[in-house]
Amino acid sequence: MNTVNSSVRDGIEIIAISNPPVNALSHQVRSELVASVERAASNPDVAGIIILGEGRTFPAGADIREFGRPPKAPWLPEVCNRIEAVQKPILAAIHGTALGGGLEIAAACHFRIADSNAQVGFPEINLGLLPGAGGTQRATRLCGVQPALDLMLSGKPINSSKAAEIGLIDEVAWRDLLPEAESFLRSRVSRSEPVRRSRDAWKDSLSGVEAESALLNCRKSIAGKPHALPAQIRIVECVEAATKVNFFDGLAKERRLFSECLASPQSSALRHVFFAERKAAKFPGMESASVRTVREIGVIGGGTMGSAIAVACLQSGFRVVLVERDAEQLGRATRRIDAVLEAAVAKGFLPERKKSEMLASLEPATDFRSVIDSDIVVEAVFEDFSVKHRLFAALEAVAKPDAILASNTSYLDINELGGSLDHPERFLGLHFFAPANRMRLLEVVVGDRTNPDTVATSLAFAKKLGKIPVRSGVCEGFIGNRILTAYREACDLMLLDGATPFQIDGAMRGFGMKMGPYETMDLSGLDISWSRRKRLKLARDSRLRYCGLADKLCERGRFGRKTGMGFYVYGENGESRPDEDVTSLLEEIRVETGCSGRSFGNEEIRNRAIAAKVNEAAKIIDEGIASRPSDVDVVEIHGYGFPRWLGGPMKCADEMGLGLLLANIGEYAKTDALFWEPSTLLSKLAIDGSSFDDLN
Ligand code: 3HC
Ligand code: NAI
């Protein structure tokens, strides 16, 4: 099958790239595109050429799947150079998303016109890369230093009006792209206008003081970031080259720095995450499932989670019925919703009119029978099994027969919760993360009796909400919170052995986590995990060493930020400082438990903490709770602040080597054999010389 189709209309050759879904510039596309362009260039019946994308979009970039494999000629930079060198006018007619290499093809054409809904941009930085097919040199020449830096360093696309304003495109097609593109090109052809190459474009501003200071400011800001990507500073170097050296020397520099970035571990990790996010949404066993129409969502409980879930649903165009216990709680819930929407209006993210429309789609209620027409009912009441159990029994009696019943529980057993329903096949867990209107992760917890239609409909609902859904089986805490428990346990063992919470938080932040484990607990409230520990106390294996520091803090009313004290002490403006009393309490615990403190280096702290996550995750995968290692990475990155540029814990483990990881666990097991029991899967992979990636 061809990936490039050509047709000639009255002297204009239309070259259409056809490589669904996003017209990525694979080896086949590159070969056929350059051949088609050069054939048209040598055809005396052709006066001008239009390049466009068939289907959804102009090319959305190089084919990312080819990175890491041996490169095959013609390379994209060469394709761009050969297009630019043609003597007949070439116009890029852009619709959809012209991104990365796609925009570089457009920049190599002699003219650019874009549909009014089109978006253009250089998202390479999100993959730890820089535009590597002349983009840094041509775009800087077309639109100037600051706009080029903004585009390449942010990775965010801009709309066609903005692109025209900065000179990246020539015209916006407001009505119909192809006829307007043809008329644009014909008028140039009829005037015998010479071709205009981006490589020859020059703005005086490129060599001015403003350009110098834009480059300097970027350098400073990157130097101030603790975990800047190598690609960030390389982009600045390439843009600077565009202002200082000739085009072809600039291209050579860009090529060299692109290859460096491509070989960096950060780029490998970010590309892994790009595909992991997309794979996560592909649940096994959905082939023949049917998706029901969802218009109205019932949300029961309008506390922290319920009100934010309601906002997420309203933002995505659903009607929402929000049920609270009484009028007072309902008033609080609706004020919370109003405050979130008002903040969005104040920041300019939400037009006032849209806010009014959203509030008009919200039906506040104090009677749970109001969800009688809801297609999905999400429960977000207190984390108490009997409260939730009673609620679902009552809900089943009033909900539509085909309505989906979902619990937002963080830890409770979905099989038990849905077990006594008449129709457990329509029950599942939808575990949102706080704040639910902003966090993209959604664990879709599939019970033993949940049917595929319920899962498929929930999956479609998640996508409509703009979430990244990850499938989880049933266990205490599902994927994310179960790993979190093991991580905290490993950190607590280090507390017993001599580390402090402040040191562990610092080490984990230094590693790249958004927050350390103890400051995170202070933020979410120590009382929540305290009540869970009390619930699970009897089930806990008494042979495991236990650090009761958090319990002791709770007994003293130190519940974290909300009480001004937890592991840290908080000032009036929320600033935190470590507390001597916590260190003394810890000393007491060490004496009581007979632990002698020793010193820990940051590296040992990180190794133990990440090993705990990976070992637990491997058990979760082995038990079939997570479908694949890359799903764990997605959960950790989107729900628990794991650095994206490290690719998630499973990718980190692969990078470290599973043999070494297993040896470390063996070492840790010398003091805590029960906790550090290696996962069977991890041991098997390490012995076989395999990696987690082999299971993705
Ligand atoms: N290469 C290969 N596959 C790609 C791709 C690419 N550049 N972009 C998207 N895909 C694939 C996805 O993996 C997915 O495949 P799947 O269906 O098998 O899971 C499919 O296309 C659809 O993608 P999305 O699910 O993301 O579709 P959306 O409609 O949500 O989004 C998009 C479309 C905005 C184009 C989004 O896919 C995207 O942002 N793509 C990446 C764009 C990008 O990073 N381009 C730069 C690449 S690097 C480059 O060009 C280097 C150059 O400078 C040399
Ligand atoms: P919350 O205490 O802030 O809110 C619970 C709300 O439910 C209260 O407003 C209460 O009035 C209401 N409620 C209780 N019984 C009710 C009933 N029978 N009918 C109607 N409303 C009722 O609790 P939060 O934090 O919102 O948690 C809710 C659920 O979400 C819990 O299961 C929790 O484990 C889970 N969760 C919490 C997260 C968090 O970060 N807070 C994250 C993910 C899940």
Side-chain angles (χ1 to χ4, degrees), residues 21-22 24 56 60-64 100-101 104 123-124 127 131-132 274 278 282:
V22 299
R56 277 163 60 174
D63 189 333
I64 304 169
E104 291 177 298
E124 283 88 343
L127 303 170
F274 177 86
R278 280 148 185 89
K282 295 184 174 71

Side-chain angles (χ1 to χ4, degrees), residues 319-587:
R319 218 181 101 68
V320 174
V321 179
L322 177 73
V323 183
E324 255 294 349
R325 312 183 260 173
D326 54 40
E328 191 190 331
Q329 297 300 331
L330 188 62
R332 274 194 205 173
T334 49
R335 280 194 296 279
R336 247 187 230 123
I337 293 175
D338 195 67
V340 174
L341 297 182
E342 194 45 50
V345 171
K347 285 183 190 146
F349 298 150
L350 183 71
E352 185 69 51
R353 180 187 49 79
K354 187 90 178 102
K355 178 191 160 193
S356 309
E357 277 171 27
M358 284 163 61
L359 288 178
S361 299
L362 174 69
E363 181 189 328
T366 50
D367 184 342
F368 68 87
R369 281 170 295 198
S370 306
V371 300
I372 188 163
D373 291 322
S374 296
D375 303 295
I376 299 181
V377 183
V378 183
E379 161 280 312
V381 304
F382 304 128
E383 183 78 341
D384 179 313
F385 186 85
S386 55
V387 171
K388 289 186 194 278
H389 198 251
R390 272 199 309 276
L391 178 67
F392 279 114
L395 276 176
E396 188 170 42
V398 297
K400 293 198 295 189
D402 61 349
I404 289 173
L405 304 181
S407 173
N408 183 46
T409 178
S410 307
Y411 286 96
L412 299 175
D413 188 316
I414 290 295
N415 289 330
E416 277 184 37
L417 257 186
S420 52
L421 295 178
D422 289 338
H423 293 285
E425 69 278 4
R426 58 159 160 162
F427 182 77
L428 83 174
L430 288 179
H431 183 219
F432 289 82
F433 287 72
N437 53 317
R438 293 224 306 272
M439 294 285 277
R440 293 193 64 203
L441 179 64
L442 180 67
E443 282 182 323
V444 177
V445 188
V446 181
D448 291 347
R449 294 200 272 170
T450 311
N451 72 15
D453 289 2
T454 300
V455 179
T457 306
S458 302
L459 199 53
F461 168 57
K463 287 188 186 160
K464 179 112 195 270
L465 291 180
K467 303 288 179 202
I468 299 181
V470 176
R471 185 192 186 283
S472 173
V474 178
C475 66
E476 170 87 19
F478 318 124
I479 300 175
N481 281 343
R482 181 166 151 191
I483 294 173
L484 179 67
T485 303
Y487 170 60
R488 285 181 178 167
E489 189 99 22
C491 292
D492 276 0
L493 289 175
M494 289 191 269
L495 292 187
L496 283 177
D497 289 335
T500 68
F502 322 116
Q503 189 191 1
I504 292 179
D505 282 346
M508 295 318 292
R509 254 185 285 108
F511 171 76
M513 299 292 290
K514 290 218 170 82
M515 292 174 89
Y518 297 103
E519 48 196 355
T520 309
M521 274 193 261
D522 268 4
L523 183 67
S524 25
L526 299 188
D527 47 331
I528 297 172
S529 41
W530 191 30
S531 64
R532 185 170 159 264
R533 284 196 299 279
K534 285 191 274 193
R535 172 168 68 82
L536 296 175
K537 196 169 175 186
L538 288 177
R540 189 182 162 83
D541 191 325
S542 58
R543 291 167 302 164
L544 281 164
R545 285 200 295 155
Y546 184 69
C547 174
L549 180 60
D551 296 349
K552 283 195 191 290
L553 294 174
C554 289
E555 282 157 14
R556 286 161 176 73
R558 294 177 67 140
F559 291 149
R561 271 189 186 271
K562 60 181 158 191
T563 54
M565 283 176 145
F567 289 98
Y568 294 79
V569 173
Y570 297 89
E572 277 190 359
N573 299 325
E575 71 283 6
S576 65
R577 64 175 168 77
D579 186 8
E580 286 296 313
D581 289 351
V582 172
T583 324
S584 311
L585 268 180
L586 193 50
E587 269 307 325

